[in-house]
Amino acid sequence: MEFDLVVRNGLVVDGSGVPGYRGDVAVIGDRIVAVGEVDGGGREEVDAAGHVVAPGFVDGHTHMDAQVFWDQLGSSSCYQGITTVVMGNCGYTLAPIRGADRELVTSHIERAEDIPASAMNEGIPFDWSSFAEYLDAVDSLPKGINYAGSIGHSALRIWAMGERAFEQAANEHDLEVMRQELAAALDAGAVGFTTTRNPSHTTSQDRPVASRLANWQEVVELVSFMGRKGRGVFQTSGQPGDPGLSNQDHTRRLRDLALASGVPVVLPAARLDETVRIIDDAVARGGRMWGLTHSRGVGIMQSFETRVSFDKLPEWQQVRSRPLSEQRALLTDPDVRERLVRAAREGEYRTSTAADPFKPNYDRIHVMYSPYLPNPTVAEEAKRRGVDPAEAMIDIALEHDFHIFFPQILGFEALEEDELVPLFRNPNTAMTFSDSGAHLNQVADASIQTHLLAYWVRERQAFTVEEAVRMITLQPALMWRLPDRGRVAPGYAADITIFDPDTVAPLVPDVVHDLPGGASRLEQRATGYDATIVNGQVFTRDGEATEARGGRLLRSGRMAVPDAAR
């Protein structure tokens, strides 16, 4: 028998968690048709000897709603073994949208997700109104990877209420307009409905994002409506949003909502605490709840090429507003350095959103000498050098011609790594919290799956490769109800990632200027990925994209259900 593609001689780690085995994978069209010992040749063959053959990785928490319009590849995700992403999280989407309200909608994404308005205005056609029309627009684009989209609460409120979405709770007429558009979005293939109640999420006009003005009953009404429709997943940023309500009480009401509505609920899980115990309780009682985990803790990537904590201090602004070549000369001037170090130590740090520079905690800021191995903190480097921490950052930046990053980890504070192992292993969590497509100059977390394989599997040996692969393939596919993704098995989509377990690792990010209009972003590549295959087409080889654009829009209710998934 002849096949379109055969991957031969690899260690098949099929996503289920069972031990890997030597075998081949045969593909016809966009489907896997045989796994094991494959007789017959392929029109195209990939030799995977010495490599793991895994399902394409699924990233269930991204904000690539805008990027998909100007980036056919889906970088940096495409360089990290990822073949499917879910976008539209935290309530931020580009649809539904009325022409007069365009700025109201994009102001959420500009500030809360740190995507330049200039890039959106230049790179996105905005030739749709409804969410269904937005999905059609994404469907028509050439894509290297797959996309699934949820409809966002903030955009939905603005659709129904206009400017009032920022001022008050919805009335019954508003709710009916929202229900109608939510129903149409789900019918068109939206995979879920998302929101945020995070008090740090604001628009570019410094006011709360629209979803924060919703009362809890509005959220319950929309999620319950989705339950009555019998489809869709509810994702939330996790914060209660209501004065006086604890995070634990909020998680309990999310559990109650999951049980009452039948809708799966997805929220962040940064530690093995009461949140995870409530998730486990919901599942034990017949509900569906999932925790999103992160392999190294959500963090901000500071760099003199992009942003550092000191940028808004007046003394620093005088230097940081200049080209890097001029900054280099100023940063070597003893008088200038003394003023900058004093300002960094004594200055007043003012932050209005999570996107703003904030007062540095040098015990939490690291020097990224390695992109995945443990790195010293700035405090440790300063002590070793015998200088102030701010001066240490200046010296290190100059020593590396500014091309070095200082990540400040925001999550996992005071946690020992051993405490994270049971969190990651919990069957009601998935490793999928990258925020890819957002925070373009601050976050480089498309590589969290690669970090899992390089650090937690190879260096720490905390997990087997089979355990880790399940966390980043089948688990997020189950979370988002993508029935034909996340496995290497007959009937599943031919999304395959081939990697060398001995060398797979993220690389240090680069600052590139390829956004529409020339704005900058962080791009991160990796080593150890031999190939990715998307819907039966070889999309990357040795870390570079081919001409194939086999990616698709994945629509809820229209994906094949393999026999093994029934």
Side-chain angles (χ1 to χ4, degrees):
M1 183 175 182
E2 187 175 40
F3 304 98
D4 293 323
L5 174 69
V6 178
V7 179
R8 294 202 183 274
N9 307 315
L11 177 68
V12 177
V13 176
D14 69 5
S16 69
V18 303
Y21 54 90
R22 300 291 168 185
D24 309 324
V25 180
V27 175
I28 294 179
D30 64 354
R31 297 281 134 180
I32 296 170
V33 295
V35 180
E37 194 170 316
V38 171
D39 294 325
R43 295 187 182 91
E44 184 175 7
E45 298 213 356
V46 176
D47 184 6
H51 290 69
V52 170
V53 178
F57 304 162
V58 178
D59 190 343
H61 191 97
T62 81
H63 294 276
M64 297 178 75
D65 315 59
Q67 181 179 332
V68 66
F69 286 93
W70 60 71
D71 177 10
Q72 295 184 10
L73 303 185
S75 64
S76 299
S77 300
C78 66
Y79 301 123
Q80 307 293 337
I82 295 164
T83 58
T84 296
V85 300
V86 179
M87 55 189 181
N89 287 285
C90 300
Y92 306 129
T93 51
L94 294 169
I97 186 170
R98 303 186 195 276
D101 295 332
R102 174 168 154 182
E103 187 176 348
L104 296 180
V105 172
T106 59
S107 67
H108 291 73
I109 298 172
E110 179 185 9
R111 171 62 71 81
E113 298 304 333
D114 193 28
I115 301 173
S118 58
M120 289 189 283
N121 290 332
E122 187 168 333
I124 302 173
F126 289 103
D127 54 358
W128 57 79
S129 295
S130 68
F131 195 80
E133 291 168 342
Y134 169 80
L135 289 180
D136 288 343
V138 173
D139 206 356
S140 70
L141 297 170
K143 300 174 286 293
I145 61 176
N146 303 307
Y147 295 81
S150 292
I151 183 170
H153 193 184
S154 285
L156 191 59
R157 291 193 103 237
I158 295 169
W159 173 261
M161 303 170 67
E163 186 66 35
R164 289 188 301 111
F166 299 91
E167 300 167 355
Q168 62 192 56
N171 59 38
E172 182 53 39
H173 177 265
D174 299 328
L175 281 170
E176 181 56 27
V177 174
M178 283 190 260
R179 282 191 291 262
Q180 289 177 5
E181 177 60 17
L182 176 56
L186 294 170
D187 289 343
V191 295
F193 164 69
T194 71
T195 195
T196 182
R197 302 174 75 80
N198 189 327
S200 71
H201 285 191
T202 62
T203 72
S204 51
Q205 291 79 35
D206 292 322
R207 57 183 180 174
V209 297
S211 63
R212 287 176 55 195
L213 275 292
N215 58 35
W216 181 244
Q217 187 54 42
E218 178 180 324
V219 175
V220 170
E221 177 60 36
L222 293 171
V223 174
S224 299
F225 175 78
M226 193 159 55
R228 293 192 295 273
K229 289 280 291 182
R231 64 180 69 168
V233 175
F234 174 51
Q235 180 273 329
T236 177
S237 59
Q239 293 82 3
D242 297 344
L245 188 69
S246 70
N247 285 340
Q248 289 77 19
D249 286 341
H250 178 56
T251 306
R252 291 187 186 96
R253 70 179 180 180
L254 287 170
R255 174 200 60 198
D256 295 343
L257 180 57
L259 292 170
S261 68
V263 173
V265 173
V266 174
L267 72 159
R271 61 187 69 226
L272 195 65
D273 60 4
E274 186 64 18
T275 294
V276 177
R277 285 187 282 274
I278 294 169
I279 290 172
D280 291 343
D281 176 60
V283 174
R285 293 164 61 180
R288 285 167 289 182
M289 288 186 77
W290 293 90
L292 302 168
T293 63
H294 194 294
S295 62
R296 56 176 172 251
V298 177
I300 300 297
M301 300 284 281
Q302 300 191 48
S303 165
F304 281 76
E305 291 184 300
T306 54
R307 304 178 190 177
V308 290
S309 293
F310 324 117
D311 281 351
K312 289 194 174 183
L313 300 175
E315 295 84 353
W316 279 80
Q317 285 181 328
Q318 298 173 24
V319 175
R320 296 286 288 145
S321 62
R322 299 170 180 266
L324 283 175
S325 59
E326 295 181 24
Q327 290 185 45
R328 182 178 292 104
L330 290 169
L331 291 172
T332 56
D333 183 298
D335 293 335
V336 173
R337 287 167 64 99
E338 183 180 355
R339 289 199 303 272
L340 294 177
V341 171
R342 186 186 312 114
R345 184 171 55 248
E346 302 173 359
E348 184 177 359
Y349 293 84
R350 296 179 179 178
T351 60
S352 58
T353 78
D356 290 334
F358 43 84
K359 187 173 183 177
N361 179 348
Y362 299 112
D363 289 319
R364 298 297 298 170
I365 303 175
H366 293 77
V367 184
M368 188 183 267
Y369 292 129
S370 168
Y372 72 97
L373 294 173
N375 287 301
T377 66
V378 169
E380 291 167 341
E381 274 292 279
K383 182 177 181 180
R384 186 180 69 81
R385 294 166 180 251
V387 298
D388 183 274
E391 187 169 8
M393 289 179 69
I394 293 171
D395 288 338
I396 294 166
L398 290 171
E399 290 163 8
H400 291 82
D401 197 25
F402 295 124
H403 189 57
I404 192 165
F405 292 88
F406 303 92
Q408 180 160 354
I409 304 302
L410 306 180
F412 299 167
E413 290 94 337
L415 281 182
E416 296 295 332
E417 285 190 345
D418 288 345
E419 296 180 67
L420 297 173
V421 173
L423 172 66
F424 297 166
R425 189 171 276 133
N426 185 293
N428 302 317
T429 68
M431 182 70 64
T432 175
F433 198 6
S434 76
D435 262 4
S436 291
H439 314 296
L440 300 182
N441 279 303
Q442 297 179 296
V443 175
D445 283 350
S447 62
I448 63 173
Q449 292 86 353
T450 307
H451 183 86
L452 174 69
L453 297 171
Y455 181 66
W456 290 98
V457 175
R458 185 172 66 243
E459 300 297 333
R460 281 288 311 271
Q461 298 183 11
F463 306 105
T464 65
V465 69
E466 291 87 354
E467 289 176 310
V469 164
R470 181 182 170 102
M471 293 177 200
I472 56 181
T473 58
L474 185 59
Q475 292 291 93
L478 292 172
M479 172 189 294
W480 281 105
R481 292 177 160 179
L482 308 177
D484 62 348
R485 311 287 150 168
R487 288 283 308 277
V488 175
Y492 280 79
D495 291 351
I496 298 168
T497 293
I498 304 170
F499 65 91
D500 183 344
D502 295 328
T503 63
V504 66
L507 296 175
V508 173
D510 290 307
V511 179
V512 298
H513 295 80
D514 62 357
L515 294 181
S520 65
R521 68 181 178 98
L522 299 180
E523 180 183 79
Q524 188 172 27
R525 300 202 176 204
T527 61
Y529 287 107
D530 181 66
T532 56
I533 298 164
V534 180
N535 295 311
Q537 300 183 41
V538 178
F539 173 47
T540 65
R541 290 302 307 260
D542 298 319
E544 297 294 336
T546 68
E547 296 300 313
R549 298 293 181 267
R552 295 177 183 168
L553 174 71
L554 305 182
R555 297 182 188 256
S556 177
R558 307 185 193 180
M559 287 173 270
V561 181
D563 290 340
R566 296 182 188 276

